[in-house]
Amino acid sequence: MIKNNLSIGKKKENLRKRMLAERRALSVENLSNMSISLTGNIQQLASYKSAQKIMTFLAMEGESNLDMLIKDALKLGKEVYVPVCLPDRQMEAGRVKDMSHFEIGTLGLRCLKKGYETLVPEKLDLVLIPAVACDIFGRRLGMGAGYYDRYLERIPYEKRIAVVWDFQVQEEPIPTEPFDMGVSSIVTEKRIIKIMR
């Protein structure tokens, strides 16, 4: 239990540490099975079925893995984009043409090769967002750098969907600050949560 007298920043950091530790403890087998269920739940969404331009993400270790979904979307002829981090904690959407379209970046993470196509946020039909944790009220806790919060300012609320493992969904409200951007839905390997506003 987090003490009430802690600052918002400290509460967020404590929750972030706990969730990242739980994520690191997942086995490869569990991650694989959970990814299959997660992909199926996203594919059920009407917003996914109708979307032609989707922003997803390339999973970090232990994160909700959307590789199967990216392959499915490409097969269906959808345009798929992933975040590309820029200077000054900015981000842009870079187009994925196939799953071999990546190189390994400085932190050992997959990233797009130079020369990728971009799309302005306003033209995206759906944005699937990673998170360290979410609460049932649509509040999202990221890694703490603010890349997504800045980017999501330009994405309509109804197009923002958090994608996390079910244990990352919190029943208690996550502390927020004015710049924290919420989501309209949360999809996990076990359920789809529509946020009531």
Side-chain angles (χ1 to χ4, degrees):
M1 184 74 179
I2 298 171
K3 293 179 183 175
N4 288 331
N5 62 351
L6 292 176
S7 71
I8 289 175
K10 190 66 176 166
K11 287 178 183 179
K12 287 166 80 173
E13 189 55 37
N14 288 345
L15 178 58
R16 189 176 287 119
K17 283 179 184 173
R18 187 166 52 87
M19 289 293 102
L20 290 173
E22 285 189 47
R23 217 167 68 181
R24 282 190 298 272
L26 293 170
S27 71
V28 173
E29 184 180 347
N30 279 346
L31 285 170
S32 178
N33 292 333
M34 291 162 66
S35 294
I36 292 167
S37 298
L38 177 67
T39 298
N41 284 346
I42 295 169
Q43 289 168 328
Q44 290 178 36
L45 298 172
S47 55
Y48 173 75
K49 291 175 184 176
S50 65
Q52 287 306 304
K53 295 178 168 96
I54 298 170
M55 185 173 188
T56 181
F57 55 91
L58 301 171
M60 299 191 308
E61 186 179 350
E63 201 168 49
S64 44
N65 190 313
L66 299 181
D67 285 7
M68 285 183 285
L69 185 80
I70 294 171
K71 290 174 188 172
D72 176 65
L74 291 170
K75 186 176 168 185
L76 292 171
K78 298 177 186 290
E79 291 182 24
V80 178
Y81 297 84
V82 294
V84 177
C85 294
L86 303 170
D88 299 321
R89 296 185 182 193
Q90 298 298 313
M91 198 166 81
E92 68 184 358
R95 188 168 179 188
V96 174
K97 301 277 184 142
D98 59 59
M99 291 304 284
S100 60
H101 200 73
F102 309 113
E103 60 188 16
I104 303 301
T106 53
L107 298 174
L109 303 175
R110 295 176 295 170
C111 56
L112 290 174
K113 295 177 182 176
K114 299 260 187 264
Y116 54 83
E117 293 175 38
T118 61
L119 186 72
V120 294
E122 294 81 2
K123 292 197 175 182
L124 290 165
D125 300 319
L126 181 66
V127 180
L128 302 175
I129 307 159
V132 174
C134 286
D135 66 26
I136 58 172
F137 310 103
R139 297 178 186 105
R140 174 188 164 274
L141 178 66
M143 294 295 286
Y147 283 92
Y148 269 97
D149 291 317
R150 288 177 186 83
Y151 193 80
L152 293 175
E153 289 176 351
R154 296 174 62 187
I155 304 292
Y157 175 77
E158 65 277 359
K159 293 182 180 182
R160 301 182 214 151
I161 298 178
V163 180
V164 296
W165 302 128
D166 204 70
F167 71 82
Q168 295 173 279
V169 178
Q170 307 297 301
E171 298 293 322
E172 295 294 318
I174 291 174
T176 59
E177 297 173 85
F179 52 80
D180 290 327
M181 303 300 290
V183 296
S184 65
S185 299
I186 302 167
V187 182
T188 78
E189 78 282 10
K190 294 182 179 177
R191 56 187 167 155
I192 298 168
I193 303 167
K194 298 275 187 194
I195 308 304
M196 305 305 285
R197 269 187 127 178

